[in-house]
């Protein structure tokens, strides 16, 4: 700030009001707005206020890139893969920026979400169900929102006005719902933890009802247009005929398989139901009339790899339906199913995160569907050009999703987050999305270990101490999913990291083991012609810590 007296500059005053990106250019825009253009970090638009400023906009900048690597969370196992990076979870990870603006950037293409409106603040939503008050096959105009101890119903008018209904055609709204859908003959099906109801949409009367015994609870439910399959107490499966007023057609316990984790009754392949089991980590295909086993597949010997969500749907035209299985360890396994013998083939696996995904089918027209996988890195799975595509979705906070193709919002979806319920449109094309992890140091080198599921990141930290520049260099170990820092190894004084690679080296027993190999150089200020450095070999233990094993 200039101090002016009688049109003469008498001095100037400097007030520190905050920290921006390192500026390469600074432009005053008027009305207290300024543009901070940065080459080494994100550019910013700020509003200058009294003794502070407000950042109005961050403009992403991935330059300068000092190093990068390509990683793929998917395609870790399987029979065949047509393309190493065909999972849609492939990404470029860059060491971007410099000094305090240094960061890791995860860059991948994905499907965007365009928000249309927010219904309001709602916490702890467990599930969403699209309904039509006019019957099956009609455009949706109602969303049923399931909570732990209640169900709320929101009805939309043709112009988008929303009204919460206190009751809806005989449904029990004082309980949480496990399943609600329209079924043929203008009826509505509801499953709660204690009972099953069918209500007539025209009369509003309950036309059929089935209740579990007092000591039993319904834990899982799934249905198509003809059958409902439920799990009682997690140990027994019942099949009910929807055309015969919930008549039980089959009942079966699974003592050898353990508790039931998930059930799916597909519409794409009538006559079967599919169940996943906790203890045996298996998936069983059964005929829906007698619940007799047709096919059984053990998914993994790892007891943590439990099937948690199932979907059988038509992803690719003129191909067999695809069975998608979400495992509790974050893996998604897919099979092609023969609709005659129900045999499974062409097993493939993709990692979407560290926790199990939840599947929701989204119609795409012409008898095809996409599958929305809700997890840490939510993805849209669909068919394109004869192959299955995993496209990352910009819905990081989604906890549950359902299609909501209504008159007011054609082709929309409803998305629940931990705090609210939204209506949105899912883009049909993929765009580039950048996720930033601030390191606040110059990221000089990056190496990625697929086997260790981690990055080796070499950084340089500069700061002023007592008027002198102090430079420190470090090797950091970062997790591959969330980029969380796991461990750090500091180099010697005046030693800088120059290179970092992943390599398979033999240990003392002669076994090939993955290592991070680091090359360094010393800054010898006094002797210009002398070049000194070290080669350091690091192992990563089971506790995910760096250990210097050779130098």
């Amino acid at each position: 700030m200039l101090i002016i007296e009688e049109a003469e500059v008498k001095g100037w005053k400097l007030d520190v009001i905050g920290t921006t990106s390192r500026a390469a250019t600074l432009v005053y825009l008027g009305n207290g707005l300024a543009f901070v253009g940065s080459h080494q970090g994100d550019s910013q638009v700020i509003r200058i206020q009294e003794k502070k400023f407000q950042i109005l906009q961050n403009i992403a900048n991935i330059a300068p890139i000092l190093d990068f690597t390509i990683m793929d969370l998917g395609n870790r196992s399987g029979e065949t893969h047509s393309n190493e990076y065909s999972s849609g979870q492939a990404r470029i990870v860059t060491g971007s920026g410099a000094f305090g603006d240094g960061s890791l950037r995860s860059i991948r293409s994905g499907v965007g979400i365009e928000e249309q409106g927010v219904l309001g603040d709602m916490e702890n939503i467990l599930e969403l169900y699209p309904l039509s008050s006019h019957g099956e096959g009609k455009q949706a105009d109602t969303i049923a929102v399931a909570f732990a101890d209640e169900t709320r119903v929101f009805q939309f008018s043709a112009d988008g006005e929303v009204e919460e209904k206190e009751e809806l055609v005989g449904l029990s709204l004082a309980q949480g719902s496990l399943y609600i859908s329209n079924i043929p003959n203008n009826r509505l099906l509801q499953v709660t933890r204690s009972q099953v109801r069918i209500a007539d949409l025209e009369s509003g009367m309950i036309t059929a009802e089935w209740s579990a015994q007092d000591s039993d609870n319904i834990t899982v439910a799934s249905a198509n247009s003809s059958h409902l399959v439920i799990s009682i107490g997690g140990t027994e499966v019942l099949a009910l005929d929807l055309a015969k007023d919930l008549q039980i057609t089959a009942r079966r316990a699974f003592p050898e398989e353990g508790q039931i984790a998930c059930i799916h009754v597909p519409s794409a392949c009538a006559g079967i139901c599919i169940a996943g089991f906790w203890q045996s980590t298996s998936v069983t295909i059964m005929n829906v009339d007698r619940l007799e086993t047709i096919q059984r597949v053990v998914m993994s010997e790892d007891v943590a790899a439990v099937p948690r969500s199932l979907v059988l749907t038509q992803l690719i035209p003129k191909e067999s339906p695809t069975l998608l299985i979400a495992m509790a360890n974050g893996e998604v396994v897919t099979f092609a199913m023969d609709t005659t013998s129900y045999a499974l083939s062409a097993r493939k696996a993709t990692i979407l995160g560290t926790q199990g995904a939840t599947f929701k089918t989204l119609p795409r027209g012409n008898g095809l569907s996409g599958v929305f996988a809700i997890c840490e890195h939510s993805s849209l799975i669909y068919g394109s050009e004869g192959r299955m595509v995993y496209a990352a979705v910009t819905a990081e906070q989604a906890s549950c999703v359902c299609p909501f193709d209504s008159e007011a919002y054609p082709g929309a979806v409803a998305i629940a987050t931990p705090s609210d319920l939204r209506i949105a449109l899912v883009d049909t094309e993929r765009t580039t999305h950048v996720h930033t992890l601030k390191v606040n140091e110059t990221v000089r080198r990056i190496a990625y270990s697929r086997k260790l599921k981690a990055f080796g990141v070499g950084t340089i930290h500069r700061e002023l101490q007592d008027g002198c520049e102090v430079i420190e260099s470090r090797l950091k170990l970062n997790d591959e999913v969330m980029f969380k820092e796991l461990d750090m190894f500091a180099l010697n004084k005046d030693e800088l990291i120059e290179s970092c690679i992943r390599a398979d080296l033999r240990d003392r027993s002669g076994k090939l083991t993955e290592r991070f190999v680091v090359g360094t150089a010393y800054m010898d200020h006094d002797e210009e012609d002398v070049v000194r450095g070290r080669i350091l070999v690091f192992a990563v233990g089971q506790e995910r810590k760096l250990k210097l094993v050779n130098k």
Side-chain angles (χ1 to χ4, degrees):
M1 179 175 66
L2 298 177
I3 301 174
I4 301 175
E5 294 181 5
E6 298 179 357
E8 184 178 342
V9 177
K10 295 294 185 180
W12 59 280
K13 180 181 178 184
L14 181 65
D15 290 329
V16 178
I17 60 173
T19 302
T20 67
S21 300
R22 184 179 287 243
T25 185
L26 190 63
V27 180
Y28 183 64
L29 303 176
N31 296 323
L33 300 179
F35 171 73
V36 181
S38 177
H39 173 64
Q40 298 167 342
D42 292 341
S43 296
Q44 297 166 325
V45 177
I46 63 174
R47 183 189 299 278
I48 301 172
Q49 300 170 338
E50 186 177 356
K51 296 184 179 181
K52 63 179 181 179
F53 69 84
Q54 176 187 6
I55 298 176
L56 300 180
Q57 184 180 5
N58 270 306
I59 303 167
N61 169 35
I62 63 173
I65 298 174
L66 300 185
D67 199 8
F68 74 92
T69 187
I70 297 175
M71 64 170 291
D72 189 11
L73 290 177
N75 293 335
R76 292 250 168 95
S77 60
E79 294 175 3
T80 58
H81 299 295
S82 60
N83 183 338
E84 183 181 1
Y85 297 116
S86 64
S87 74
Q89 295 301 311
R91 62 186 70 188
I92 299 173
V93 179
T94 67
S96 295
F99 308 110
D101 296 315
S103 63
L104 288 173
R105 305 285 177 121
S106 171
I107 305 166
R108 62 176 177 171
S109 65
V111 175
I113 298 289
E114 182 183 347
E115 187 177 301
Q116 300 295 297
V118 179
L119 267 69
D121 295 337
M122 282 178 258
E123 297 181 351
N124 304 316
I125 295 174
L126 299 182
E127 194 54 271
L128 302 172
Y129 304 101
L131 303 173
S132 172
S133 60
H134 306 292
E136 188 187 37
K138 308 294 184 181
Q139 274 193 316
D141 59 5
T142 304
I143 298 177
V145 183
F147 298 86
D149 55 359
E150 67 171 341
T151 301
R152 297 171 64 180
V153 174
F154 297 89
Q155 198 163 70
F156 290 72
S157 66
D159 57 1
E161 293 293 324
V162 186
E163 179 186 1
E164 183 171 3
K165 295 289 187 179
E166 297 296 326
E167 58 181 25
L168 183 67
V169 290
L171 296 188
S172 175
L173 302 184
Q175 303 180 65
S177 296
L178 297 177
Y179 189 86
I180 307 177
S181 72
N182 290 98
I183 58 175
N185 300 321
N186 212 27
R187 296 176 299 164
L188 206 59
L189 170 68
Q190 181 190 25
V191 182
T192 67
R193 294 200 174 275
S194 60
Q195 62 182 358
V196 180
R197 286 183 172 188
I198 294 179
D200 184 78
L201 282 172
E202 291 184 0
S203 65
M205 301 293 292
I206 297 173
T207 59
E209 190 170 8
W210 181 91
S211 297
Q213 295 181 0
D214 294 338
S215 58
D216 295 329
N217 276 332
I218 303 172
T219 56
V220 186
S222 180
N224 59 15
S225 60
S226 60
H227 286 85
L228 166 70
V229 177
I230 59 175
S231 170
I232 302 296
T235 58
E236 190 176 24
V237 173
L238 274 69
L240 296 89
D241 193 325
L242 299 180
K244 298 180 179 179
D245 294 335
L246 300 177
Q247 177 183 330
I248 297 176
T249 60
R251 190 172 196 143
R252 181 181 174 185
F254 294 86
E256 71 284 357
E257 299 283 8
Q259 286 197 320
I260 297 149
C262 49
I263 290 174
H264 176 57
V265 184
S267 300
C269 191
I272 63 169
C273 65
I274 309 167
F277 296 89
W278 282 97
Q279 281 83 351
S280 64
T281 68
S282 65
V283 170
T284 300
I285 301 172
M286 301 172 283
N287 56 50
V288 76
D289 291 324
R290 299 181 299 279
L291 296 180
E292 295 173 343
T293 299
I294 301 172
Q295 298 283 346
R296 179 179 180 271
V297 179
V298 177
M299 300 304 300
S300 173
E301 295 180 358
D302 182 2
V303 294
V306 178
R308 296 296 290 122
S309 187
L310 302 165
V311 161
L312 177 67
T313 190
Q314 191 74 42
L315 294 179
I316 304 172
K318 300 179 182 179
E319 296 283 346
S320 299
T322 301
L323 174 62
L324 298 96
I325 305 166
M327 311 298 288
N329 61 358
E331 190 176 47
V332 172
V333 181
T334 63
F335 293 93
M337 177 183 283
D338 186 289
T339 55
T340 303
S341 64
Y342 306 111
L344 301 177
S345 61
R347 173 173 176 152
K348 295 182 181 179
T350 298
I351 302 292
L352 291 187
T354 59
Q355 301 175 357
T358 301
F359 292 141
K360 277 290 183 176
T361 56
L362 302 179
R364 292 174 63 86
N366 299 320
L368 302 178
S369 295
V371 176
F372 200 112
I374 306 159
C375 55
E376 297 156 277
H377 301 290
S378 294
S379 298
L380 183 65
I381 308 170
Y382 61 95
S384 177
E385 299 179 351
R387 67 188 184 98
M388 189 163 46
V389 175
Y390 290 72
V393 177
T394 57
E396 301 293 340
Q397 295 295 315
S399 57
C400 46
V401 172
C402 77
F404 189 61
D405 182 19
S406 61
E407 186 175 353
Y409 301 103
V413 296
I415 300 176
T417 72
S419 59
D420 57 33
L421 176 61
R422 308 176 182 190
I423 305 297
L425 293 175
V426 179
D427 290 345
T428 56
E429 296 182 359
R430 292 188 289 182
T431 55
T432 300
H433 304 281
V434 180
H435 172 67
T436 301
L437 172 70
K438 295 292 290 182
V439 179
N440 300 319
E441 300 176 9
T442 301
V443 179
R444 184 87 180 266
R445 294 290 181 259
I446 302 176
Y448 173 57
S449 170
R450 188 171 181 174
K451 186 180 297 183
L452 298 174
K453 301 180 180 180
F455 292 95
V457 180
T459 67
I460 298 174
H461 178 72
R462 298 171 183 257
E463 66 176 347
L464 286 176
Q465 293 182 2
D466 299 326
C468 297
E469 185 181 48
V470 178
I471 301 177
E472 298 176 341
S473 196
R474 307 178 176 98
L475 176 67
K476 298 184 177 183
L477 186 70
N478 288 73
D479 174 73
E480 69 169 3
V481 176
M482 304 304 292
F483 299 119
K484 176 185 176 183
E485 184 177 319
L486 303 173
D487 197 17
M488 183 270 291
F489 181 89
L491 301 184
N492 294 335
K493 182 180 178 181
D494 291 335
E495 185 180 22
L496 297 181
I497 191 165
E498 293 287 350
S499 61
C500 179
I501 64 169
R502 179 217 63 84
D504 289 318
L505 302 178
R506 296 193 182 277
D507 59 17
R508 292 181 179 179
S509 66
K511 181 181 178 182
L512 280 176
T513 307
E514 269 199 307
R515 303 290 194 223
F516 286 114
V517 183
V518 173
T520 74
Y522 281 94
M523 296 185 297
D524 288 302
H525 302 288
D526 299 328
E527 303 179 37
E528 295 183 359
D529 296 334
V530 177
V531 179
R532 295 190 302 126
R534 296 191 295 169
I535 294 176
L536 309 175
V537 181
F538 292 90
V540 178
Q542 292 183 347
E543 68 280 5
R544 310 203 79 184
K545 298 292 183 182
L546 290 167
K547 180 182 179 181
L548 182 63
V549 295
N550 209 341
K551 63 181 178 179

